[in-house]
Amino acid sequence: MTSGLIERYRLYGEPIRQVEPRFIHVEPIHERSGYHQWRIAPHAHRELHQFLLVSEGGGTMISEGRSLAVAVPAILLIPAETVHGFTFTPGTDGWVISIAQTALPASAGGDGLITALIERARCIGPIDRDAAAQIGGLFRSLSSELAWDGAGRSLAIEADVLKLLVSFARAALAPDAATAPLSDGDSQLVSRFRALIETHFAEHLPVAAYARELGVSEDRLLAVCRKRFDAPPIQIIHQRLMVEAQRWLLYSSAPIGAIAEALGFRDAAYFSRFFSKRIGVGPRRFRER
């Protein structure tokens, strides 16, 4: 639906193509950002999550229309398909890992600590400098293993990736301390629910339809969503609709009526009321502002 709105890359500036199942790429921030004069235009990565450590410099991260200050040392968490961009201070440096969902270590697949990293885009900083130094060391180790073809390379890469993800998760814990932890089963349910929303959010399905597809009761789904997001399932669905609506308004010149139709609304007036209730201004005013 959104492929015509913004650029989608494997890595920024590179032609999009099928992402290999085990794709992992690590590079210093200055290599790509410096080449592009420290400005990375809004874009998204198909099937790739990105995690950044910004250790020097700083700047601004744009995520789904929000502008977030990058106060170093900072960590940036960017799930696959999230529209994001950067304006870095010249000389900014650190590390970035781009990793396919299918390349995440098997032991991390159902762990709530790790899945929480890819629930939403975040900019967290400044973080503890000792934690930043540890993360930087893990990046250097992983970069060396990726460039080397020695014995045990695959195991060493998996170990470094897992340690890197845990370090990111621990650094992100403080801002999210108020969020209730989930069991592995509940975390997997949340992940499956989010995946279904990605597929069906423009169809305006009732929560009961999601619960049936997930094989759980509506009460179970409600309890898990309240525990993880402090919000009912319908609000999570509507938030996803709002993200897509704002993408269309920010990154396209499509008429509001066409956007309403693309997002499954019966008419532009209903879409405008839905949007205004949640943002405080109508879609036309939002686009102008």
Side-chain angles (χ1 to χ4, degrees):
M1 179 192 306
T2 61
S3 58
L5 297 180
I6 55 168
E7 295 292 346
R8 274 167 165 72
Y9 301 109
R10 188 178 75 153
L11 297 175
Y12 185 78
E14 299 182 8
I16 191 167
R17 58 182 182 269
Q18 185 68 32
V19 173
E20 297 90 341
R22 302 296 297 171
F23 182 85
I24 301 172
H25 179 79
V26 168
E27 67 182 26
I29 288 174
H30 75 267
E31 287 188 0
R32 197 171 302 262
S33 296
Y35 178 80
H36 291 281
Q37 290 75 53
W38 306 103
R39 184 180 182 276
I40 305 297
H43 66 287
H45 300 285
R46 179 176 294 175
E47 304 168 15
L48 289 178
H49 307 300
Q50 284 194 323
F51 306 102
L52 287 78
L53 169 69
V54 184
S55 54
E56 300 176 34
T60 303
M61 170 180 166
I62 301 296
S63 172
E64 303 294 3
R66 295 180 300 141
S67 180
L68 306 171
V70 178
V72 297
I75 58 174
L76 313 181
L77 314 176
I78 305 169
E81 291 292 341
T82 300
V83 179
H84 64 287
F86 307 102
T87 301
F88 287 124
T89 303
T92 292
D93 210 358
W95 292 90
V96 54
I97 178 172
S98 305
I99 183 167
Q101 173 70 31
T102 48
L104 295 175
S107 56
D111 188 278
L113 189 69
I114 304 304
T115 56
L117 285 178
I118 55 176
E119 284 182 351
R120 57 188 173 88
R122 278 171 287 173
C123 172
I124 301 169
I127 65 170
D128 180 78
R129 290 196 173 274
D130 288 341
Q134 179 189 35
I135 292 172
L138 290 169
F139 266 115
R140 286 188 290 274
S141 174
L142 178 57
S143 179
S144 296
E145 291 293 346
L146 288 169
W148 190 58
D149 193 23
R153 176 176 180 268
S154 295
L155 286 174
I157 289 172
E158 182 169 335
D160 278 348
V161 168
L162 188 57
K163 286 189 288 186
L164 191 60
L165 294 175
V166 170
S167 295
F168 268 103
R170 286 174 173 171
L173 270 179
D176 281 353
T179 302
L182 296 181
S183 67
D184 288 349
D186 284 350
S187 181
Q188 291 175 15
L189 177 57
V190 166
S191 296
R192 291 168 56 215
F193 180 46
R194 295 290 289 269
L196 280 179
I197 291 174
E198 283 300 311
T199 302
H200 300 293
F201 67 84
E203 299 173 29
H204 299 252
L205 299 176
V207 172
Y210 283 97
R212 282 196 301 272
E213 183 68 21
L214 292 166
V216 299
S217 68
E218 289 184 64
D219 287 344
R220 168 85 191 286
L221 185 57
L222 173 63
V224 170
C225 287
R226 286 205 177 280
K227 187 175 182 182
R228 183 65 186 90
F229 306 111
D230 194 27
I234 192 63
Q235 186 172 327
I236 309 305
I237 299 166
H238 287 170
Q239 286 172 353
R240 182 62 184 88
L241 262 173
M242 287 299 298
V243 166
E244 200 68 18
Q246 290 174 79
R247 284 179 178 175
W248 279 90
L249 292 165
L250 288 168
Y251 304 118
S252 84
S253 58
I256 290 173
I259 295 173
E261 182 178 358
L263 296 180
F265 290 89
R266 61 176 178 264
D267 57 50
Y270 177 43
F271 169 62
S272 293
R273 290 194 299 272
F274 179 92
F275 192 94
S276 300
K277 181 178 179 181
R278 288 157 180 82
I279 295 295
V281 297
R284 193 176 309 277
R285 175 62 178 152
F286 175 83
R287 173 178 269 172
E288 292 170 353
R289 190 174 65 179

